[in-house]
Coordinates of all heavy atoms in Angstrom, one line a residue:
M1 N 29.6 -19.4 26.5 CA 28.2 -19.7 26.8 C 27.3 -18.4 26.8 O 27.8 -17.4 27.1 CB 28.0 -20.5 28.1 CG 28.7 -21.8 28.1 SD 28.2 -22.9 26.7 CE 26.9 -23.8 27.6
Y2 N 26.1 -18.6 26.5 CA 25.1 -17.5 26.4 C 24.0 -17.7 27.4 O 23.3 -18.7 27.2 CB 24.6 -17.3 25.0 CG 23.8 -16.2 24.7 CD1 24.3 -15.0 24.1 CD2 22.4 -16.2 24.9 CE1 23.5 -13.9 23.9 CE2 21.6 -15.2 24.6 CZ 22.1 -14.0 24.1 OH 21.3 -12.9 23.8
E3 N 23.8 -16.8 28.4 CA 22.7 -17.0 29.3 C 21.4 -16.4 28.8 O 21.5 -15.2 28.4 CB 23.0 -16.5 30.7 CG 21.9 -16.7 31.7 CD 22.3 -16.3 33.1 OE1 23.2 -15.4 33.3 OE2 21.8 -16.9 34.1
H4 N 20.3 -17.1 28.7 CA 19.1 -16.6 28.2 C 17.9 -16.9 29.2 O 17.9 -17.9 29.8 CB 18.7 -17.3 26.9 CG 17.5 -16.7 26.2 ND1 17.4 -15.5 25.7 CD2 16.3 -17.3 26.0 CE1 16.2 -15.3 25.2 NE2 15.5 -16.4 25.4
Y5 N 17.1 -15.9 29.5 CA 16.0 -16.0 30.4 C 14.7 -16.1 29.6 O 14.5 -15.5 28.5 CB 15.9 -14.7 31.2 CG 17.0 -14.6 32.2 CD1 18.2 -14.0 31.9 CD2 16.9 -15.1 33.5 CE1 19.2 -13.9 32.8 CE2 17.9 -15.0 34.4 CZ 19.1 -14.4 34.0 OH 20.1 -14.3 34.9
F6 N 13.8 -17.0 30.1 CA 12.5 -17.2 29.4 C 11.5 -17.7 30.4 O 11.9 -18.1 31.6 CB 12.7 -18.3 28.3 CG 13.1 -19.6 28.7 CD1 12.1 -20.6 28.9 CD2 14.4 -19.9 29.0 CE1 12.5 -21.9 29.4 CE2 14.8 -21.2 29.4 CZ 13.9 -22.1 29.6
Q7 N 10.3 -17.8 30.0 CA 9.2 -18.3 30.9 C 8.9 -19.8 30.6 O 8.7 -20.2 29.5 CB 8.0 -17.5 30.6 CG 6.9 -17.7 31.7 CD 5.7 -16.7 31.4 OE1 5.3 -16.5 30.3 NE2 5.3 -16.1 32.5
C8 N 8.9 -20.6 31.7 CA 8.6 -22.0 31.5 C 7.2 -22.2 31.0 O 6.3 -21.6 31.6 CB 8.8 -22.7 32.9 SG 8.3 -24.4 32.9
P9 N 7.0 -23.1 30.1 CA 5.7 -23.3 29.5 C 4.8 -24.2 30.5 O 3.6 -24.3 30.2 CB 5.9 -24.1 28.2 CG 7.2 -24.7 28.4 CD 8.0 -23.8 29.3
Y10 N 5.3 -24.7 31.6 CA 4.6 -25.5 32.6 C 4.2 -24.6 33.8 O 3.0 -24.4 34.1 CB 5.4 -26.7 33.0 CG 5.6 -27.7 32.0 CD1 6.8 -27.8 31.4 CD2 4.6 -28.7 31.7 CE1 7.1 -28.7 30.4 CE2 4.9 -29.6 30.7 CZ 6.1 -29.7 30.1 OH 6.3 -30.6 29.1
C11 N 5.2 -24.1 34.4 CA 5.0 -23.4 35.7 C 4.9 -21.9 35.6 O 4.7 -21.2 36.5 CB 6.0 -23.8 36.7 SG 7.7 -23.3 36.4
W12 N 5.3 -21.3 34.4 CA 5.3 -19.9 34.1 C 6.3 -19.1 34.8 O 6.2 -17.9 34.9 CB 3.9 -19.3 34.2 CG 2.9 -20.1 33.4 CD1 1.9 -20.9 33.9 CD2 2.8 -20.1 32.0 NE1 1.2 -21.5 32.8 CE2 1.7 -21.0 31.6 CE3 3.4 -19.5 30.9 CZ2 1.3 -21.2 30.3 CZ3 3.1 -19.7 29.6 CH2 2.0 -20.6 29.3
E13 N 7.2 -19.8 35.5 CA 8.3 -19.1 36.2 C 9.4 -18.6 35.2 O 9.6 -19.2 34.2 CB 8.9 -20.0 37.3 CG 8.1 -20.3 38.4 CD 7.8 -19.1 39.4 OE1 8.6 -18.2 39.5 OE2 6.6 -19.1 39.9
Q14 N 10.0 -17.5 35.6 CA 11.1 -17.0 34.8 C 12.4 -17.9 35.2 O 12.7 -18.0 36.3 CB 11.4 -15.6 35.2 CG 12.5 -14.9 34.4 CD 12.1 -14.4 33.1 OE1 10.9 -14.4 32.7 NE2 13.0 -13.8 32.4
V15 N 13.0 -18.5 34.2 CA 14.1 -19.4 34.4 C 15.2 -18.9 33.4 O 14.9 -18.3 32.4 CB 13.8 -20.9 34.2 CG1 12.9 -21.3 35.3 CG2 13.2 -21.2 32.9
S16 N 16.5 -19.3 33.7 CA 17.5 -19.0 32.8 C 18.2 -20.3 32.3 O 18.1 -21.3 33.0 CB 18.6 -18.1 33.5 OG 19.3 -18.9 34.4
M17 N 18.8 -20.3 31.2 CA 19.4 -21.4 30.6 C 20.7 -21.0 29.9 O 20.7 -19.9 29.3 CB 18.5 -22.1 29.6 CG 18.9 -23.4 29.1 SD 17.5 -24.2 28.1 CE 16.4 -24.7 29.4
L18 N 21.8 -21.8 30.1 CA 23.0 -21.5 29.3 C 23.0 -22.2 28.0 O 22.7 -23.4 27.9 CB 24.2 -22.0 30.1 CG 24.5 -21.2 31.4 CD1 25.7 -21.9 32.1 CD2 24.9 -19.8 31.1
L19 N 23.2 -21.4 26.9 CA 23.1 -21.9 25.6 C 24.5 -21.8 24.9 O 25.3 -20.9 25.2 CB 22.2 -21.0 24.7 CG 20.7 -20.8 25.3 CD1 20.0 -19.8 24.5 CD2 20.0 -22.1 25.4
D20 N 24.8 -22.7 24.0 CA 26.1 -22.8 23.4 C 26.0 -22.2 22.0 O 25.3 -22.8 21.1 CB 26.5 -24.3 23.2 CG 27.8 -24.5 22.6 OD1 28.5 -23.5 22.3 OD2 28.2 -25.6 22.4
P21 N 26.6 -21.0 21.8 CA 26.5 -20.3 20.5 C 27.4 -21.0 19.4 O 27.3 -20.5 18.2 CB 26.9 -18.9 20.8 CG 27.8 -19.0 21.9 CD 27.3 -20.2 22.7
S22 N 28.2 -22.0 19.7 CA 29.0 -22.6 18.7 C 28.3 -23.4 17.7 O 28.8 -23.8 16.6 CB 30.1 -23.4 19.4 OG 29.6 -24.6 20.0
V23 N 27.0 -23.8 18.0 CA 26.1 -24.6 17.1 C 25.0 -23.6 16.6 O 24.3 -23.1 17.5 CB 25.6 -25.8 17.8 CG1 24.7 -26.6 16.8 CG2 26.7 -26.7 18.3
S24 N 24.9 -23.4 15.4 CA 24.0 -22.3 14.9 C 22.5 -22.7 15.2 O 21.7 -21.8 15.5 CB 24.2 -22.1 13.4 OG 23.9 -23.2 12.6
Q25 N 22.1 -23.9 15.0 CA 20.7 -24.3 15.3 C 20.7 -25.7 15.9 O 21.4 -26.6 15.4 CB 19.8 -24.3 14.1 CG 18.4 -24.6 14.4 CD 17.5 -24.4 13.2 OE1 17.8 -23.8 12.2 NE2 16.3 -24.9 13.3
Q26 N 20.0 -25.8 17.0 CA 19.9 -27.1 17.7 C 18.6 -27.3 18.4 O 17.9 -26.3 18.7 CB 21.1 -27.3 18.6 CG 21.2 -26.2 19.7 CD 22.4 -26.2 20.5 OE1 22.8 -27.3 21.0 NE2 23.2 -25.2 20.6
T27 N 18.2 -28.5 18.7 CA 17.0 -28.8 19.4 C 17.3 -29.9 20.4 O 17.9 -30.9 20.0 CB 15.8 -29.3 18.5 OG1 15.5 -28.2 17.6 CG2 14.6 -29.6 19.3
Y28 N 17.0 -29.6 21.6 CA 17.2 -30.6 22.7 C 16.2 -30.5 23.8 O 15.4 -29.5 23.8 CB 18.7 -30.5 23.2 CG 19.0 -29.1 23.8 CD1 18.9 -28.8 25.1 CD2 19.5 -28.1 23.0 CE1 19.2 -27.6 25.6 CE2 19.8 -26.9 23.4 CZ 19.7 -26.6 24.8 OH 19.9 -25.4 25.3
V29 N 16.2 -31.4 24.8 CA 15.3 -31.4 25.9 C 16.1 -31.2 27.2 O 17.1 -31.8 27.4 CB 14.5 -32.8 26.0 CG1 13.7 -32.8 27.2 CG2 13.7 -33.0 24.7
E30 N 15.6 -30.2 28.0 CA 16.2 -29.9 29.3 C 15.1 -29.7 30.2 O 14.0 -29.2 29.9 CB 17.0 -28.7 29.2 CG 17.9 -28.5 30.4 CD 19.1 -27.5 30.1 OE1 19.7 -27.6 29.0 OE2 19.3 -26.7 31.0
D31 N 15.3 -30.1 31.5 CA 14.2 -30.0 32.5 C 14.2 -28.6 33.1 O 15.3 -27.9 33.2 CB 14.5 -31.0 33.7 CG 14.2 -32.4 33.3 OD1 13.6 -32.6 32.3 OD2 14.7 -33.3 34.0
C32 N 13.1 -28.1 33.4 CA 12.9 -26.8 34.1 C 13.6 -26.8 35.4 O 13.4 -27.8 36.2 CB 11.4 -26.4 34.2 SG 11.1 -24.9 35.2
E33 N 14.3 -25.8 35.8 CA 15.0 -25.8 37.1 C 14.1 -25.6 38.2 O 14.4 -25.8 39.4 CB 16.2 -24.8 37.1 CG 15.7 -23.4 36.9 CD 16.9 -22.5 36.7 OE1 17.9 -22.8 36.1 OE2 16.8 -21.3 37.2
V34 N 12.9 -25.1 38.0 CA 11.9 -24.9 39.0 C 11.0 -26.1 39.2 O 10.8 -26.6 40.3 CB 11.1 -23.6 38.7 CG1 10.0 -23.4 39.8 CG2 12.0 -22.4 38.6
C35 N 10.3 -26.5 38.1 CA 9.3 -27.5 38.3 C 9.7 -28.9 37.8 O 9.0 -29.9 37.9 CB 8.0 -27.1 37.6 SG 8.1 -27.1 35.8
C36 N 10.9 -29.0 37.2 CA 11.5 -30.2 36.7 C 10.8 -30.9 35.5 O 11.1 -32.1 35.2 CB 11.6 -31.2 37.9 SG 12.7 -30.6 39.2
N37 N 9.9 -30.3 34.9 CA 9.2 -30.8 33.7 C 10.1 -30.6 32.5 O 10.9 -29.7 32.4 CB 7.9 -30.1 33.4 CG 6.8 -30.6 34.4 OD1 6.5 -31.8 34.4 ND2 6.2 -29.7 35.1
P38 N 10.1 -31.6 31.5 CA 10.9 -31.5 30.3 C 10.5 -30.4 29.3 O 9.3 -30.3 29.0 CB 10.8 -32.9 29.7 CG 9.5 -33.4 30.2 CD 9.3 -32.8 31.5
I39 N 11.4 -29.7 28.8 CA 11.1 -28.6 27.9 C 11.9 -28.8 26.6 O 13.1 -29.1 26.7 CB 11.5 -27.2 28.5 CG1 10.8 -27.0 29.8 CG2 11.2 -26.1 27.5 CD1 11.3 -25.8 30.5
E40 N 11.3 -28.8 25.5 CA 12.0 -28.8 24.2 C 12.5 -27.4 23.9 O 11.8 -26.5 23.8 CB 11.1 -29.3 23.1 CG 11.9 -29.5 21.8 CD 11.0 -30.0 20.7 OE1 10.3 -29.2 20.1 OE2 11.0 -31.2 20.5
V41 N 13.8 -27.3 23.8 CA 14.5 -26.0 23.6 C 15.1 -25.9 22.2 O 15.8 -26.9 21.8 CB 15.6 -25.8 24.6 CG1 16.3 -24.5 24.4 CG2 15.1 -25.9 26.0
T42 N 14.8 -24.8 21.4 CA 15.3 -24.7 20.1 C 15.9 -23.2 20.0 O 15.2 -22.3 19.7 CB 14.3 -24.9 19.0 OG1 13.6 -26.1 19.2 CG2 14.9 -24.8 17.6
P43 N 17.2 -23.1 20.2 CA 17.9 -21.8 20.0 C 18.5 -21.7 18.6 O 18.9 -22.8 18.1 CB 19.0 -21.8 21.1 CG 19.3 -23.2 21.3 CD 18.1 -24.0 21.0
Q44 N 18.6 -20.5 18.1 CA 19.2 -20.3 16.8 C 20.2 -19.1 16.9 O 19.9 -18.1 17.5 CB 18.2 -19.9 15.7 CG 17.3 -21.0 15.3 CD 16.3 -20.5 14.3 OE1 15.5 -19.7 14.6 NE2 16.4 -21.1 13.1
F45 N 21.4 -19.4 16.5 CA 22.5 -18.3 16.6 C 23.0 -18.0 15.2 O 23.0 -18.9 14.3 CB 23.7 -18.9 17.4 CG 23.4 -18.9 18.9 CD1 22.9 -20.1 19.5 CD2 23.7 -17.8 19.7 CE1 22.6 -20.1 20.8 CE2 23.4 -17.9 21.0 CZ 22.9 -19.0 21.6
Q46 N 23.4 -16.8 15.0 CA 24.1 -16.3 13.8 C 25.2 -15.4 14.2 O 24.9 -14.4 15.0 CB 23.1 -15.6 12.9 CG 23.8 -15.2 11.6 CD 22.8 -14.6 10.6 OE1 21.7 -14.2 11.0 NE2 23.1 -14.6 9.3
D47 N 26.5 -15.7 13.9 CA 27.6 -14.9 14.3 C 27.6 -14.7 15.8 O 27.9 -13.6 16.3 CB 27.6 -13.5 13.6 CG 27.7 -13.6 12.1 OD1 28.4 -14.6 11.6 OD2 27.0 -12.8 11.4
N48 N 27.4 -15.8 16.5 CA 27.4 -15.8 18.0 C 26.3 -14.9 18.7 O 26.4 -14.6 19.8 CB 28.8 -15.5 18.6 CG 29.7 -16.6 18.4 OD1 29.4 -17.8 18.3 ND2 31.0 -16.3 18.2
E49 N 25.3 -14.5 17.9 CA 24.2 -13.7 18.4 C 23.0 -14.6 18.4 O 22.7 -15.2 17.4 CB 24.0 -12.4 17.6 CG 25.1 -11.4 17.8 CD 25.1 -10.8 19.1 OE1 24.0 -10.5 19.7 OE2 26.2 -10.5 19.6
L50 N 22.2 -14.6 19.4 CA 20.9 -15.3 19.5 C 19.9 -14.6 18.6 O 19.6 -13.4 18.9 CB 20.4 -15.4 20.9 CG 19.2 -16.3 21.2 CD1 19.5 -17.7 20.9 CD2 18.7 -16.1 22.6
I51 N 19.4 -15.3 17.5 CA 18.5 -14.7 16.6 C 17.1 -15.3 16.7 O 16.1 -14.8 16.2 CB 19.0 -14.7 15.2 CG1 19.2 -16.1 14.7 CG2 20.2 -13.8 15.0 CD1 19.4 -16.3 13.2
G52 N 17.0 -16.5 17.4 CA 15.7 -17.1 17.6 C 15.7 -18.1 18.8 O 16.8 -18.6 19.1
F53 N 14.7 -18.1 19.5 CA 14.6 -19.0 20.7 C 13.2 -19.4 20.8 O 12.2 -18.6 20.8 CB 15.0 -18.3 21.9 CG 15.1 -19.1 23.1 CD1 16.2 -19.9 23.4 CD2 14.0 -19.1 24.0 CE1 16.3 -20.7 24.5 CE2 14.1 -19.9 25.2 CZ 15.2 -20.7 25.4
D54 N 13.0 -20.8 21.0 CA 11.6 -21.3 21.1 C 11.7 -22.4 22.2 O 12.6 -23.2 22.2 CB 11.1 -21.9 19.8 CG 9.6 -22.3 19.9 OD1 8.8 -21.5 20.5 OD2 9.3 -23.4 19.5
V55 N 10.7 -22.5 23.1 CA 10.5 -23.5 24.0 C 9.1 -24.1 23.9 O 8.1 -23.4 23.6 CB 10.8 -23.1 25.5 CG1 12.2 -22.8 25.7 CG2 9.9 -22.0 25.9
Q56 N 9.0 -25.4 24.0 CA 7.7 -26.1 23.9 C 7.6 -27.1 25.0 O 8.6 -27.7 25.4 CB 7.6 -26.8 22.6 CG 7.7 -26.0 21.4 CD 6.4 -25.2 21.2 OE1 5.3 -25.6 21.5 NE2 6.6 -23.9 20.7
S57 N 6.4 -27.2 25.6 CA 6.2 -28.3 26.6 C 6.1 -29.6 25.9 O 5.8 -29.7 24.7 CB 4.9 -28.0 27.3 OG 3.8 -28.0 26.4
I58 N 6.6 -30.6 26.5 CA 6.5 -32.0 26.0 C 5.4 -32.7 26.7 O 5.5 -33.0 27.9 CB 7.8 -32.7 26.2 CG1 8.9 -32.0 25.4 CG2 7.7 -34.2 25.7 CD1 10.3 -32.6 25.7
E59 N 4.3 -32.9 26.0 CA 3.1 -33.5 26.6 C 3.4 -34.9 27.1 O 3.9 -35.7 26.3 CB 1.9 -33.5 25.6 CG 1.5 -32.1 25.2 CD 1.1 -31.2 26.3 OE1 0.5 -31.6 27.3 OE2 1.4 -30.0 26.2
Q60 N 3.1 -35.2 28.3 CA 3.3 -36.5 28.9 C 2.1 -37.2 29.3 O 1.1 -36.6 29.7 CB 4.2 -36.4 30.1 CG 5.6 -35.9 29.8 CD 6.5 -35.8 31.0 OE1 6.3 -36.6 31.9 NE2 7.4 -35.0 31.0

């Protein structure tokens, strides 16, 4: 697993997330561990290295 730190698009807190480098590109929804709002997460890996990471708020 790969731990990555980023800023939540809702509460702007620094949070960390464990990412699975065995899948080169994926998109999924996970709740912020601080404010519990859903975040769309899109990590990209190449040769087990994180080469891209994007988070988007999910408007409710």
Side-chain angles (χ1 to χ4, degrees):
M1 296 303 269
Y2 185 94
E3 185 174 22
H4 184 69
Y5 291 86
F6 63 96
Q7 192 173 44
C8 172
Y10 294 99
C11 67
W12 305 106
E13 291 291 326
Q14 182 86 359
V15 293
S16 69
M17 191 172 284
L18 291 176
L19 307 173
D20 181 5
S22 67
V23 180
S24 61
Q25 184 171 347
Q26 53 188 314
T27 299
Y28 57 93
V29 175
E30 192 163 319
D31 290 343
C32 172
E33 61 187 36
V34 177
C35 69
C36 299
N37 283 303
I39 303 168
E40 184 179 82
V41 180
T42 306
Q44 292 178 294
F45 286 91
Q46 184 176 20
D47 299 324
N48 287 330
E49 293 289 324
L50 185 65
I51 60 169
F53 185 82
D54 187 45
V55 292
Q56 298 290 322
S57 61
I58 298 176
E59 302 299 324
Q60 296 185 26

